[in-house]
Amino acid sequence: LTHTHTHTQEPEEEGEKVEWYRAKAENGDADAQYNLAICYEEGKGVAKSEAEAARWFEKAAEQGDADAQFSLGVCYHEGKGLEKDDAKAIELWTKAAHQNNEDARFILGWNNDA
């Protein structure tokens, strides 16, 4: 379940969005890094690339973005864009779940009281 993080003054056209995200992502904006990863994952405004998606998810995940941690975990679990590594997937999902990421909590089998 992917969704982008909303930015103010975000362009409407897909190609412009990608360049807008890229400029912010390269300056360390975790939301933009996550959004750029989604663009690569879905092939929106850029050629679809699992490796580029994983790379940008990783940059955002390293900054503590829970959605990126979850998505990078999926990449590791499914071997999308990087080598399959279930231990790394579980580590990332656990980090995301501790930030109340519902997808991570679900995949780990945590209930709302955990």
Side-chain angles (χ1 to χ4, degrees), residues 7 17-37 40 46 52 55-56 59-60 63:
H7 277 85
K17 271 188 185 179
V18 169
E19 291 314 310
W20 193 80
Y21 292 151
R22 185 182 315 283
K24 291 191 164 298
E26 288 173 352
N27 283 318
D29 183 310
D31 286 337
Q33 291 168 343
Y34 173 82
N35 289 344
L36 186 57
Y40 277 109
V46 290
E52 278 298 296
R55 185 170 83 88
W56 287 106
K59 287 182 179 293
Q63 294 190 67

Side-chain angles (χ1 to χ4, degrees), residues 3-17:
H3 60 281
T4 57
H5 297 175
T6 305
H7 277 85
T8 56
Q9 303 172 352
E10 194 172 286
E12 293 294 321
E13 196 270 315
E14 291 298 333
E16 289 179 20
K17 271 188 185 179

Side-chain angles (χ1 to χ4, degrees), residues 61-81:
E62 287 171 353
Q63 294 190 67
D65 184 288
D67 292 330
Q69 290 167 342
F70 174 77
S71 296
L72 184 59
V74 171
C75 292
Y76 274 110
H77 177 66
E78 296 178 359
K80 286 186 171 183

